[in-house]
Amino acid sequence: MARLYLIRHGRPSSTWGGHDDDPGLDETGQEQARAARDWLLSRPDAERPSLVVSSPLRRCRETAEPTAQTLGVDAEIDPVVGEIPTPKALSAEARPGWLREAFQGTWGAIQGDMDYDAWRGDIIASLAKRGNTAVFSHYVAINAAVSKLLGVDQVLAFRPDHCSITILETDGATVRLIEKGAEATTGVL
């Protein structure tokens, strides 16, 4: 089984519902991205990632950049590991409330214009084929993967902190959770 690392992006310069729909990292987030790179590259040779995948959003791309540069690879952009898709009819102002409601329930109960439980399966399918890879993603997408692997329907399986690194293994077809990453100490996402 090959190692696979699922990393939440570093601290962004603004949060959802803020002034920027696609914020980059603030100074702390940049430091977190470099610390994640250093941790990933300190793994034993057999466990060290050789590929980098990122959500298309700027905060993930900027978190992935130090690792990709040091490895000498381009980060592959994969929308499947991006943010949870918001219903098309939902306004930007209504998104925070929609997310809060979704966090309280199960994947099958999320109101929207897609099957969010199937989205969890899509994330696992994308991860399964990515051995020896560092995947830079988001709070909800990481919860989608972890909750699916734990066999629970609750949306929030845990609270991954910024640059939290969740360790998985894959044989190319299946994914196994080895260790959840560090959890946030506050309720702020």
Side-chain angles (χ1 to χ4, degrees), residues 1-73:
M1 300 270 281
R3 282 292 163 112
L4 173 64
Y5 301 96
L6 193 52
I7 303 105
R8 183 179 178 204
H9 60 77
R11 192 171 83 182
S13 59
S14 67
T15 59
W16 43 268
H19 69 283
D20 187 348
D21 289 341
D22 190 13
L25 300 179
D26 67 9
E27 187 174 313
T28 297
Q30 292 168 6
E31 290 172 16
Q32 291 168 331
R34 290 187 295 273
R37 172 206 58 205
D38 294 346
W39 187 89
L40 290 164
L41 297 178
S42 74
R43 302 298 88 212
D45 288 346
E47 297 177 8
R48 188 174 305 132
S50 56
L51 301 170
V52 174
V53 170
S54 176
S55 155
L57 295 178
R58 185 173 163 205
R59 57 194 173 271
C60 285
R61 293 190 329 264
E62 288 183 8
T63 307
E65 188 176 331
T67 302
Q69 283 182 344
T70 301
L71 290 173
V73 300

